[in-house]
Amino acid sequence: MAVSTESYMNLDQSAFHYDYETLRTTGVILAVIMFVGGILIAMSKKCKCTKSKSSPVEGPQPPKTEVPPQTV
């Protein structure tokens, strides 16, 4: 049973079909989500939010040691 190249090409093209409407809708939704997320990230760096006083604002600091002045 031999299958000609033409019938194989027609079978290959008709076996797969894009749903362009769903593809466009999904692309627009993802673009809007990423755009709004980017705006929120950019705005969050400019806004200084106050945190609760139970957590330290800065991390633990190492103890400071004094360096004696050197004489020449």
Side-chain angles (χ1 to χ4, degrees), residues 47-60:
C47 176
K48 299 272 184 176
C49 299
T50 58
K51 305 231 179 201
S52 64
K53 293 182 180 182
S54 62
S55 64
V57 176
E58 297 179 6

Side-chain angles (χ1 to χ4, degrees), residues 32-47:
V32 167
I33 290 171
M34 288 189 285
F35 178 77
V36 170
I39 296 294
L40 288 175
I41 290 171
M43 295 300 289
S44 70
K45 299 206 180 207
K46 290 183 179 181
C47 176

